[in-house]
Structure formats: structure tokens, C-alpha cells
Amino acid sequence: MGPSMTPDFSFISPLSIERIAHPDTYSLIPAKDLDIKKQHIQSIVDSCSEPEIYSWLFKEMAPNGYTHEHANGFVNWAKQGWEENRYFVFFILTPSQEICGAIDIKSNQIEKGEVGYWISSHHRGLATNALKNLRKVAKRAGYKLLFAQTKEGNIKSKSVLRKNDFIEDSTYLFDVKCCAKAYKIEL
Ligand SMILES: CC(C)(COP(=O)(O)OP(=O)(O)OC[C@H]1O[C@@H](n2cnc3c(N)ncnc32)[C@H](O)[C@@H]1OP(=O)(O)O)[C@@H](O)C(=O)NCCC(=O)NCCS
């Protein structure tokens, strides 16, 4: 098995995910499988403009605000990743099929896939379970290890990683300009 091995997601389909302390069922859907409607773009703009998500993830990239152009670009980029088998974005859908979050694996290097995520504050309590599901599908697809990089002070993200048995390991801190800590889990 050489380093040219890439993940095999041929088994993938939408998954149900539970929201902590809520009865509703949400779902995790590969970006390639969602037929994008206007309201999806609007909900991405709304979520990514929320102070918490915007300030942790998009302020540097979009200093004048997160726009419809950013959301359209994100959706196209997300679909392209699946088409090229290079990176893998999943949308998180509410029971009424609105996008309220996203979680992704940022490369096709099965030796170490970096994960990232955001969840609208109106739907908090989903990230931990979304990452649990992502760990399972990543393992099945062939990944050996997942890691995440967090900025200084991002307590909530750290808590999501801890609850998923990630352990701190600075070997996986690649983006030192942006991030302060790194966490990994062997699958
Ligand atoms: C980090 C982030 C994804 C967390 O999303 P989340 O869905 O709220 O995370 P969790 O699954 O841990 O759920 C947390 C909530 O569920 C509740 N909860 C978690 N575990 C629980 C448990 N075992 N029992 C009861 N309640 C629990 C907590 O009270 C918490 O609510 P609070 O935030 O009001 O304290 C989200 O805050 C976010 O998008 N932040 C900005 C983007 C970002 O930082 N991304 C990561 C970059 S590395």
C-alpha cells in the first residue's frame, strides 16, 4: 500500500444524526448529493455571518462580511471535492432540509485527514455527533488518522474534539500562523 492510496467513499449515503437534548433528527449529507436551492445559499450566508462562526472561521478570508458569492463559491468548491475525490464536505441538514452546518475532511491523504466544522448557534449540540459519524465513515473509507487545528481560545471546538477522543499532538500543527493547537485520533 503506497502513499498514492486514496479514500474510497463509494458506500456513502446520507446519515441521520441526533442533536443533544433535542428530539429532532438531522442529517449529514455528502455535498455531492444535495440539490442546492436558493434557500440553502441563504442559510449558509446566515450561519456563516453569525458572530461566532464568522469570527472563528471567515473574518480573515472575508473581512467585509460573508456574502452570497462566498456561499456559492463554497458550494461549488464542496461539490468539486467529491467529483475529483480530493476533499469531502458534508452538509448538516435540519429536519426541514435547511443547511445548518458543515463538516469536512480537507484532503484525500488517508495517512492523515484534517477535519473542520461549523454549526449554526441556533442548532448547537450537533457537532459532537456529526464528528462521531464522520470518524466512522472516514475509517470505512480508509483513513488511518484524523486531525484538527484550532485557534487559541477556541474552547468549544476543543470540547467537540475531546468528546470524540482526540488527543492533543503538536506534530499536526501545520498552520502556525492561524492556529495554536492540534489534535488527532487514530482510526
Ligand atoms: C465549535 C462548534 C462547531 C460546536 O458546535 P455544537 O454543535 O454546539 O457542539 P457540541 O456538539 O459540542 O454541542 C455543544 C452544546 O451541546 C450541549 N452538550 C454537549 N454535550 C452534552 C452532553 N453530553 N449532555 C448535555 N448537553 C451537552 C452543550 O451544552 C453545548 O451547548 P452550549 O454551547 O450552549 O454550551 C460551533 O460552536 C461552531 O460552529 N463554532 C464556530 C466555528 C468553529 O470554531 N469551528 C471549529 C474550527 S476548529
Side-chain angles (χ1 to χ4, degrees):
M1 308 248 174
S4 61
M5 285 273 293
T6 55
D8 176 6
F9 279 104
S10 52
F11 62 88
I12 204 74
S13 63
L15 296 164
S16 294
I17 55 170
E18 284 174 18
R19 182 179 176 195
I20 292 166
H22 287 262
D24 312 323
T25 300
Y26 287 65
S27 59
L28 195 64
I29 181 171
K32 67 181 171 68
D33 293 338
L34 185 64
D35 182 17
I36 295 289
K37 305 270 170 45
K38 258 191 181 159
Q39 82 252 23
H40 292 132
I41 298 296
Q42 187 61 51
S43 47
I44 293 171
V45 173
D46 293 345
S47 300
C48 295
S49 303
E50 289 175 12
E52 204 172 18
I53 298 177
Y54 179 70
S55 61
W56 283 117
L57 298 182
F58 302 116
K59 204 167 58 180
E60 285 91 7
M61 181 202 90
N64 298 316
Y66 192 101
T67 65
H68 285 75
E69 284 67 46
H70 291 114
N72 276 307
F74 172 58
V75 163
N76 293 336
W77 174 83
K79 290 195 176 270
Q80 194 182 349
W82 286 98
E83 273 161 30
E84 298 175 354
N85 201 47
R86 285 177 46 221
Y87 51 86
F88 309 93
V89 180
F90 295 79
F91 296 124
I92 296 163
L93 298 181
T94 68
S96 58
Q97 308 297 107
E98 288 299 322
I99 292 176
C100 65
I103 183 164
D104 64 3
I105 306 179
K106 300 177 188 300
S107 88
N108 58 8
Q109 290 181 49
I110 58 170
E111 297 76 24
K112 50 169 167 52
E114 181 177 5
V115 299
Y117 38 79
W118 54 263
I119 302 286
S120 163
S121 62
H122 302 291
H123 300 273
R124 62 168 41 114
L126 284 164
T128 301
N129 288 338
L131 186 56
K132 270 189 188 140
N133 280 277
L134 192 72
R135 281 164 55 196
K136 285 187 198 142
V137 300
K139 185 179 168 82
R140 190 163 167 203
Y143 286 90
K144 309 287 183 222
L145 180 149
L146 294 177
F147 73 98
Q149 301 182 83
T150 62
K151 291 183 177 172
E152 186 65 54
N154 196 344
I155 309 285
K156 283 193 181 178
S157 183
K158 181 173 155 176
S159 145
V160 169
L161 294 164
R162 286 265 172 82
K163 284 183 274 181
N164 269 284
D165 304 323
F166 280 64
I167 54 170
E168 201 177 334
D169 184 342
S170 57
T171 321
Y172 294 89
L173 186 61
F174 300 108
D175 192 353
V176 290
K177 268 193 192 158
C178 163
C179 294
K181 293 212 164 120
Y183 302 84
K184 70 158 184 210
I185 186 168
E186 276 156 34
L187 300 179

